[in-house]
Amino acid sequence: MDLELPDGTILSLPDHATGADAAAAIGPGLARAALAIKVNGETRDLARALPATNGEKPAKIEILTDRSGDEALELIRHDTAHVLAEAVLELYPGVKISIGPPIEDGFYYDFDFPDGVSINESDFEAIEARMREHVAADEPFQRQDVPVGEARERFGAEDQDYKVELIEDLVRNADPAHPLETVSLYTNGPFTDLCRGPHAPSTKRIKAFKLQSVAGAYWRGDASRPMLTRVYGTAFFSTEALEEHLERLERARANDHRRLGPQLGLFTFSEVSPRAAFWLPAGTEVFNSLVALSREMGRERGYVEVKTPQIYDSQLWKTSGHWDKYRDNMFITEYEDREMAVKPMNCPGHCQLYSLQRHSYRDLPVRYWEPGLLHRREPSGTLHGLLRVRHFAQDDSHIFCTEDQIQDEVAGVLDFAFATYAIFGLDVRLELSTRPEVRIGSDALWDLSEAALQGALDAQGLDYELNQGDGAFYGPKIDMHMTDSLGRSWQLGTCQLDYNFPERFNLVYTGADNAEHRPVMIHRALMGSYERFIGILLEHLGGELPVWLTPVQATVLPIADRHLDYAGSVRARLVHAGLRAEVDARPESISRKIRDAELRKIPYLLVVGDRELEADAVSVREHRHGDRGSMPVGDLIRDARARVESRSTN
């Protein structure tokens, strides 16, 4: 058989050769390092026979090793999940096993322990010790395809009910034209699991692993089914890589916005309005500062601010297509025999607003902007602090323009985005997402809109990745992603091109020929939701917001009660200069006041005592930078204002 290597070289092997044979034919070093083989994009065990070409084009192959990035990590994490199940079965007789897939950054396995038996993180040491024994034993992962009935009987005899149910589901969901006859089992040492694979050659390829946490998980995600015990873990190819990962996790816990927000007095939550933030005064300052930034930068770029209703007749959502595609995520009510819904997005309302006025080609582009309040009926299990909530506000804009204005408008959106992110020191990468399977509109319109976005990117010479099938249901989009200080990727903003909504809402403008023409619509949000953007910023910066964004920019710390009046006068001058300042008048020691202000991450700590009073000065201590010495109040104000007005990063 002939096989094509990644560099285009043709490798000839005997019929029935395996992936291991292919690796050995390329070189002995690769044979020793090989973990699996990709055949025409499908990852397979090295021990499986390669497909014969039968006169067709050679199959494309790639040998995976520990240098193959995420694909290789996913492989050994799946291996480690099997070793975890193997160890738990040995240590806890009678336990039932369900599923154990690799996931982002690790793996998990779900267990049903016998009555009266439970585990927690204190049990991890013993489980890991048993796992290390199986890793050291170099147990081969051996695949066996067995008849469905034989597999069902085997797991039934072992009282593994979840495995029997999985087999029955596989049979039931198979194509009726091709009934399922066999299922694959993988065995390592004494342990056999129902699994489609693939796996590395043996357990010894697992170099470093760590069990991390225990959680509850309903079987099949169904609250009416048994609650299982989910054990999470991770695995790497070296102890060093594992330690780096665990250190990042520790930093992530320290930077978790759900911890930082209440600690800094920014926001809290209450079950009277589940998973909607209650913004405290300090957090409201941060929130309003971001809205003010959007307003200021938008005004400079020709955006006009609008305000639209919160609740609309269902007909609006039927026209937009959201009633069919998004209804389960909308809060719906009835009033005076009319079915109404609270808006989960602003675009249909902006289409309605555009339609309520007449527009000439001379008016276009029309750039609406609204920091609109939105509500979405998100499932409880998907909610996460500020990152996913049920009530939020977006820096939402919709541009109505002519076709020949598309490139300039998209370029303007991207320029606006880059300028916004630069203020926060964020580097972004672009992703062009094309038509999804479930969508509205004709293929001709999608061809037109995808070509327009791609043309706008190419015209500016911008690098971007192609993300096939991930566009919005009404149009393709350019998404903007950043990588934070902990190496995590976040989507920040989006620019979506839409020919469909103007068609569905019958939007028109009068052209130079005095005839009616259809505008094109661009959906644009740069921060996404303000809530989510604040959550991302807090985690990226560890709560160290830049001076212009901090809710309290300076705190005046009087040494004794006799300095209170002077402290108050300093604060008044700071506030008059446009700075957010306070006085810490508590009867605490100055060291305690400094420590508390540092914990609140206030940028300027201004100590005042007898010498400062006499000199009309303040003793300046900057958060994280220490003492700057005595400074006239006027100089301090100029320094702080310069940092605020320039919106400098820390």
Side-chain angles (χ1 to χ4, degrees):
M1 70 176 74
D2 289 336
L3 304 163
E4 183 180 339
L5 301 181
D7 64 359
T9 302
I10 301 299
L11 178 68
S12 295
L13 293 175
D15 289 345
H16 309 298
T18 65
D21 295 330
I26 298 170
L30 184 60
R32 289 190 297 272
L35 296 169
I37 184 170
K38 287 181 73 174
V39 182
N40 292 330
E42 177 195 2
T43 304
R44 300 161 62 103
D45 303 328
L46 289 172
R48 291 183 67 184
L50 296 169
T53 53
N54 296 326
E56 300 173 2
K57 290 177 61 177
K60 294 184 178 182
I61 66 168
E62 177 187 352
I63 305 297
L64 298 184
T65 71
D66 60 7
R67 298 184 178 182
S68 299
D70 290 342
E71 289 177 298
L73 281 172
E74 182 176 314
L75 195 72
I76 64 152
R77 287 166 178 168
H78 192 185
D79 296 349
T80 314
H82 278 233
V83 175
L84 167 62
E86 180 180 24
V88 169
L89 275 169
E90 292 175 350
L91 293 171
Y92 301 91
V95 69
K96 295 181 181 182
I97 58 176
S98 58
I99 58 172
I103 56 175
E104 185 178 4
D105 288 337
F107 61 88
Y108 69 80
Y109 213 110
D110 287 348
F111 302 97
D112 188 353
F113 287 92
D115 289 344
V117 177
S118 63
I119 67 169
N120 54 47
E121 294 181 17
S122 66
D123 299 300
F124 285 176
E125 185 176 350
I127 298 172
E128 288 174 344
R130 184 61 61 92
M131 291 173 67
R132 281 191 285 271
E133 292 176 12
H134 289 290
V135 170
D138 197 15
E139 299 168 351
F141 284 98
Q142 297 175 318
R143 178 187 173 110
Q144 183 183 12
D145 292 322
V146 302
V148 166
E150 180 182 329
R152 186 190 290 116
E153 288 177 13
R154 172 180 183 146
F155 287 113
E158 295 173 356
D159 201 26
Q160 293 296 345
D161 305 339
Y162 299 104
K163 296 299 179 182
V164 173
E165 183 178 332
L166 289 169
I167 293 170
E168 291 172 347
D169 283 353
L170 289 171
V171 172
R172 183 168 49 253
N173 295 328
D175 184 349
H178 302 91
L180 186 70
E181 296 180 353
T182 64
V183 293
S184 57
L185 308 182
Y186 277 84
T187 299
N188 54 289
F191 175 67
T192 298
D193 203 353
L194 174 71
C195 180
R196 66 183 179 184
H199 285 278
S202 77
T203 58
K204 204 162 188 177
R205 300 304 182 95
I206 303 167
K207 301 300 182 184
F209 64 88
K210 178 74 174 175
L211 301 183
Q212 297 172 287
S213 62
V214 176
Y218 289 112
W219 172 233
R220 297 297 184 79
D222 184 346
S224 67
R225 304 298 300 276
M227 172 69 79
L228 306 181
T229 300
R230 177 168 293 178
V231 179
Y232 286 98
T234 192
F236 287 86
F237 286 109
S238 70
T239 301
E240 293 77 14
L242 174 61
E243 289 175 349
E244 288 175 6
H245 174 73
L246 296 177
E247 183 181 340
R248 282 196 301 273
L249 289 180
E250 190 56 40
R251 288 177 57 205
R253 277 191 285 270
N255 286 11
D256 192 323
H257 76 281
R258 292 170 298 178
R259 184 185 70 84
L260 289 171
Q263 176 187 312
L264 298 175
L266 302 180
F267 58 84
T268 188
F269 291 92
S270 169
E271 282 306 307
V272 300
S273 183
R275 312 322 299 163
F278 282 73
W279 290 94
L280 300 169
T284 304
E285 286 282 6
V286 176
F287 192 101
N288 288 342
S289 293
L290 290 178
V291 174
L293 176 66
S294 299
R295 181 175 285 119
E296 174 189 321
M297 296 182 73
R299 187 180 294 121
E300 294 170 352
R301 290 166 171 81
Y303 287 83
V304 291
E305 186 169 353
V306 298
K307 191 171 179 60
T308 54
Q310 288 290 105
I311 301 176
Y312 296 90
D313 189 286
S314 62
Q315 186 55 52
L316 181 85
W317 307 110
K318 291 173 183 175
T319 300
S320 69
H322 287 97
W323 199 251
D324 294 330
K325 303 288 189 295
Y326 206 79
R327 183 179 180 181
D328 289 345
N329 292 97
M330 299 169 72
F331 288 101
I332 297 171
T333 187
E334 288 189 5
Y335 180 69
E336 294 182 346
D337 297 325
R338 298 176 69 184
E339 199 167 30
M340 314 285 283
V342 182
K343 66 177 178 182
M345 63 280 299
N346 292 302
C347 29
H350 286 184
C351 288
Q352 182 69 15
L353 178 62
Y354 178 94
S355 73
L356 295 175
Q357 296 177 296
R358 294 182 61 85
H359 298 276
S360 160
Y361 71 96
R362 294 187 180 89
D363 303 324
L364 271 53
V366 171
R367 305 185 186 101
Y368 290 151
W369 173 74
E370 179 177 8
L373 300 177
L374 307 174
H375 291 79
R376 295 183 183 176
R377 201 175 71 175
E378 302 281 12
S380 297
T382 66
L383 301 170
H384 181 82
L386 293 179
L387 302 181
R388 193 160 184 177
V389 288
R390 291 194 174 115
H391 165 66
F392 57 96
Q394 282 188 318
D395 66 323
D396 212 1
S397 177
H398 296 93
I399 302 168
F400 301 89
C401 64
T402 66
E403 276 195 287
D404 59 7
Q405 292 172 332
I406 289 174
Q407 283 205 8
D408 285 344
E409 289 305 304
V410 172
V413 167
L414 294 175
D415 175 74
F416 193 168
F418 297 148
T420 299
Y421 303 143
I423 290 172
F424 302 94
L426 305 178
D427 293 321
V428 296
R429 62 186 185 281
L430 305 179
E431 190 175 81
L432 174 60
S433 298
T434 57
R435 70 194 75 184
E437 286 190 19
V438 179
R439 58 183 183 268
I440 60 175
S442 68
D443 285 344
L445 280 179
W446 278 89
D447 290 340
L448 196 63
S449 53
E450 287 173 354
L453 277 191
Q454 188 166 1
L457 289 166
D458 292 340
Q460 296 180 75
L462 295 170
D463 293 329
Y464 60 91
E465 296 176 7
L466 194 61
N467 187 9
Q468 298 278 9
D470 199 44
F473 75 87
Y474 46 77
K477 59 179 180 171
I478 300 169
D479 287 333
M480 300 146 220
H481 300 261
M482 61 84 76
T483 300
D484 72 7
S485 59
L486 298 172
R488 301 169 303 181
S489 179
W490 301 94
Q491 182 191 328
L492 296 178
T494 189
C495 174
Q496 304 169 353
L497 184 59
D498 183 0
Y499 280 83
N500 284 301
F501 273 21
E503 185 79 28
R504 294 173 78 94
F505 282 94
N506 193 29
L507 305 183
V508 297
Y509 68 91
T510 304
D513 58 359
N514 213 31
E516 288 189 342
H517 299 268
R518 188 81 67 207
V520 181
M521 184 175 180
I522 296 173
H523 306 244
R524 185 236 72 183
L526 304 184
M527 296 186 195
S529 80
Y530 292 105
E531 284 82 354
R532 185 171 178 274
F533 192 76
I534 290 170
I536 292 171
L537 268 187
L538 288 172
E539 298 204 359
H540 175 55
L541 300 174
E544 307 284 350
L545 297 175
V547 175
W548 69 271
L549 196 54
T550 51
V552 177
Q553 293 160 334
T555 179
V556 188
L557 311 177
I559 292 175
D561 287 351
R562 64 180 180 276
H563 307 124
L564 282 172
D565 288 345
Y566 178 62
S569 70
V570 170
R571 175 195 173 276
R573 291 164 69 182
L574 294 171
V575 171
H576 182 73
L579 299 170
R580 297 189 286 270
E582 64 176 28
V583 173
D584 186 345
R586 296 176 301 161
E588 301 284 355
S589 68
I590 195 65
S591 60
R592 173 65 182 271
K593 291 179 180 181
I594 290 173
R595 188 190 71 179
D596 290 349
E598 289 280 8
L599 288 174
R600 293 172 61 198
K601 305 182 189 301
I602 297 174
Y604 289 100
L605 285 62
L606 311 178
V607 178
V608 295
D610 292 336
R611 285 182 299 177
E612 288 75 23
L613 189 156
E614 293 173 4
D616 191 29
V618 288
S619 181
V620 181
R621 181 184 179 91
E622 281 195 41
H623 174 60
R624 297 189 70 196
H625 297 291
D627 290 325
R628 287 183 56 184
S630 182
M631 183 182 295
V633 176
D635 290 352
L636 180 279
I637 288 174
R638 281 189 290 274
D639 181 271
R641 279 183 57 87
R643 292 176 65 184
V644 170
E645 290 171 2
S646 66
R647 293 195 173 100
S648 64
T649 57
N650 289 346

